[in-house]
């Protein structure tokens, strides 16, 4: 399935909402397929919680790149000595991106793992 996504890494900072795009990211990857929450989202969460290997063909991208064919943008929010959070945005073609998930990796697994292979 060609559900394209970007995975971005951002620092947890005071005053930054997990439900809005951050101004600064530190790394960005492009994912060509299976970028939906019950696929890529669950795999990212399981990698963070269960140390599972992610089996995608990720491409490292320039921090300023934004593809026109994206369906999802993921943020992995990290900071030393703080819990990791994940945000998922459904990319809007005619309107603003919609934040469809904010939470801990375990919350993402609970919400999306039962639909993992349904697309």
């Amino acid at each position: 399935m060609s559900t394209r996504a970007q995975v971005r890494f951002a620092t947890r900072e005071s005053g930054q909402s997990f439900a809005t795009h951050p101004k600064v990211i530190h790394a960005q990857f492009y994912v060509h397929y299976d970028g939906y929450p019950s696929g890529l989202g669950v795999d990212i969460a399981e990698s963070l919680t269960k140390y599972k290997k992610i089996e995608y063909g990720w491409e490292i991208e320039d921090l300023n790149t934004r593809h026109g064919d994206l369906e999802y943008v993921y943020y992995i929010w990290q900071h030393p000595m703080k819990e990791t959070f994940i945000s998922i945005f459904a990319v809007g073609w005619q309107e603003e991106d919609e934040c469809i998930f904010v939470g801990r990796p375990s919350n993402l697994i609970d919400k999306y793992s039962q639909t993992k292979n349904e697309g």
Side-chain angles (χ1 to χ4, degrees):
M1 179 181 270
S2 294
T3 306
R4 292 169 177 86
Q6 279 182 319
V7 179
R8 299 172 176 170
F9 291 81
T11 301
R12 285 188 59 174
E13 298 183 66
S14 295
Q16 172 65 58
S17 168
F18 296 144
T20 61
H21 292 282
K23 292 181 181 165
V24 177
I25 59 173
H26 305 290
Q28 175 170 274
F29 298 85
Y30 180 65
V31 181
H32 293 279
Y33 58 90
D34 293 342
Y36 48 89
S38 57
L40 178 62
V42 170
D43 287 343
I44 290 169
E46 287 180 342
S47 180
L48 289 165
T49 60
K50 302 175 184 177
Y51 309 107
K52 289 181 78 172
K53 184 177 178 183
I54 297 176
E55 300 288 339
Y56 287 89
W58 292 25
E59 292 178 18
I60 299 173
E61 290 195 308
D62 181 89
L63 294 178
N64 298 311
T65 301
R66 171 85 184 232
H67 291 270
D69 61 352
L70 294 177
E71 293 184 53
Y72 296 99
V73 175
Y74 294 80
Y75 289 97
I76 300 170
W77 301 89
Q78 296 180 308
H79 192 281
M81 307 305 291
K82 291 184 181 179
E83 196 170 7
T84 297
F85 274 74
I86 298 172
S87 300
I88 305 173
F89 289 81
V91 175
W93 294 98
Q94 301 296 325
E95 64 279 343
E96 273 189 50
D97 296 351
E98 177 186 1
C99 184
I100 61 169
F101 177 83
V102 172
R104 295 173 179 87
S106 59
N107 301 129
L108 192 151
I109 292 168
D110 291 344
K111 182 172 182 175
Y112 290 107
S113 66
Q114 53 274 60
T115 61
K116 184 166 184 171
N117 292 314
E118 294 175 14

